[in-house]
Amino acid sequence: MAILVFSEESDGHASASALELTSKAASLGEVAVFHVGEGSADTFAELGAHGATSVHHMDPGDGLPAAPAAAAIADLVAGDAPAAVLFGMGNTDRDVAGRLSARLGKPVLAAAADLSIDPVRVTSEILGGTQQIITEATAESPALVIARPKAFDAADTGGPAPATIAVAAPDVGRSGSAVVLERHAEQHEGPDLGAANVVVSGGRGLGGADNWHLVEELAAELDAAVGASRAVVDAGWVPYSLQVGQTGKTVKPSVYIAAGISGAMQHMVGMKDAATIIAINKDPDAPIFGIADLGVVGDVHQVLPKLIEALRART
Amino acid sequence: MKIAVCVKQIPDPATPYELDAESHFVVRPQDQVLDDTDRYGVEVGLQLAEANEGTVTLFSMSPSGSLQGIRQALAMGADKAVLIDDDTLRGSAALTTARVLAAAIEREGFDLVIAGTESTDGSSGVVPQQIAEILDVPALSFARHVEAGDGKVTIERQTASGYDVVESPLPAVLAVTSGSVEPRYPTFKGIMGAKQKPIDTLTAGDLGFGSDDVGIGGAGQDITAVAPIASRQAGEIIDDDGEAHLRIIALLQETKVI
Ligand SMILES: Cc1cc2nc3c(=O)[nH]c(=O)nc-3n(C[C@H](O)[C@H](O)[C@H](O)COP(=O)(O)OP(=O)(O)OC[C@H]3O[C@@H](n4cnc5c(N)ncnc54)[C@H](O)[C@@H]3O)c2cc1C
Ligand SMILES: Nc1ncnc2c1ncn2[C@@H]1O[C@H](COP(=O)(O)O)[C@@H](O)[C@H]1O
């Protein structure tokens, strides 16, 4: 095993980051995956198709997975040390990476946008994407790396079904005593935010939850996914699953429309790689205009209704 | 209930950050402010302390000599602070930070440790989980809506598709999100009172760390290159004269979205 990739099940699939990282790792060497969740032949086959030759599978049941997963991975890498263990930025990914780091006494190389091995070097963007640094792991292998979402492309290369190895969740005592009592999935309509070709996002400039329908109506006309800034997620207008940015989703659509969003660096890291960015903001000095292909200095309450109206009139 | 809240002091985000040419670390001025991310942790701690006859002790590691950020958190209502301030800590990686904080917290005793989800300047987002592993307790991350009492803590944990309700016995570590609570603003009385509150200042050595264990030497990683990234250029900026939506439609047509 040259590289171990962490995968958490979501909606009956391997996480998007696991598929991206498996594809990247397969270009560097032999890939094993550590998969947490219920698991299924289809999920494992999907990982195999992206280049994994083996999948170690742990089903944590209702236990919070991070502590037993970190212990199991520590056991696994103690035998045949891979050059690196790769994580995405999902919540469980980060939990496991942190715990594993403390367990192994090794640092975590965070926010990787690119990666090479021998020695392990990661390229990451810091200070809101204005500077790029290259960090080299100097401790003994494995290096622990957390990669940015969409840093690498997931590629189904038609690999065969991987060998699957069931791993029992180790008893980690007190650390493993947290349990999941309920799981709530929010219903959502329209295309998936992470994969959509067009994203319409709204910010605090919308003025209130009552005006959010403008964002939704525009998105519906463009067959777009709806996104949001953290300010409106925190205000409770929309669920966290719509948040775009450093602590939310990273999107790379063909077109990103930002309405009433100032353009804080933590928001921009999540959308600056969109092919075309359109921003509407009443403040001519809003930072979002610094990266927009088309910036409209104006009031969202004027521009959005007219835009929606005009799009409707076309069809 | 003994509540430990981790608070980081950071260079004021309102002024652009600079990297030291030689070490490649963020230049840290003498006076640093409370990371906005940690105001949420302080607020959650204060609310739980009010509900459970608890105390709130702040823990901060900052090799800078700054007290400003800690005073901001004390002014919100925390009881006291433990500051680990030592030049040998400069350049420490997240794991070293976690080891130092965990040692200080363990020395003081705790039922609950509260941290932010990710710091504004470091944003590795792993310090809370590292602390939990070192202290051998569960870590409940991405926590919004926290309740604690009767020897346990229950949270709503944000997930990519919604949220989970997670419960853990105490002691435990929480990493709270900015959606959890509305942090209070310090009152004038709070600001004045903060000056009298005890701040216990420790060195890494006081906690049993040698100078090779911490700082750059103990980091296990090395920044080998730094380069500016060519930023995306601003495009066309127009004032809305009542017809701006037509320009947007034209661009959507050009990009073949419609
Ligand atoms: C560690 C950390 C992580 C973070 N992670 C994220 C993240 O993942 N995603 C994220 O988005 N943020 C994140 N943030 C928060 C970020 O710093 C900003 O606070 C947030 O993005 C601001 O949201 P906003 O643009 O909607 O609100 P504001 O900054 O308040 O901007 C509102 C904008 O609307 C404009 N406006 C007001 N009225 C109108 C009108 N009628 N018409 C047109 N324009 C109008 C204003 O000019 C202003 O520019 C994070 C912060 C930290 C510290
Ligand atoms: N030097 C520090 N002193 C105190 N708390 C810290 C420090 N560094 C990180 N933390 C805590 O850990 C959280 C996550 O930080 P990070 O892992 O750096 O993103 C922060 O919100 C703080 O609560």
Side-chain angles (χ1 to χ4, degrees), chain A residues 29-82:
Chain A
E30 197 195 330
V31 191
V33 170
F34 188 91
H35 181 77
V36 170
E38 221 170 293
S40 68
D42 284 353
T43 309
F44 303 148
E46 196 179 19
L47 289 164
H50 285 75
T53 51
S54 61
V55 176
H56 301 260
H57 168 224
M58 187 190 100
D59 184 352
D62 288 331
L64 200 60
I73 295 173
D75 286 346
L76 194 60
V77 301
D80 167 20

Side-chain angles (χ1 to χ4, degrees), chain A residues 203-205 229-231 243-248 260-262 264 266-267 281-283 298-301, chain B residues 37 118 120:
Chain A
R204 187 147 42 197
S229 71
R230 191 180 85 173
Q243 183 173 317
V244 172
Q246 183 173 308
T247 32
I261 293 179
S262 60
Q266 295 94 353
H267 184 79
N281 195 305
K282 70 174 184 192
D283 173 8
D299 185 339
V300 288
H301 303 111
Chain B
T37 298
E118 55 181 40
T120 301

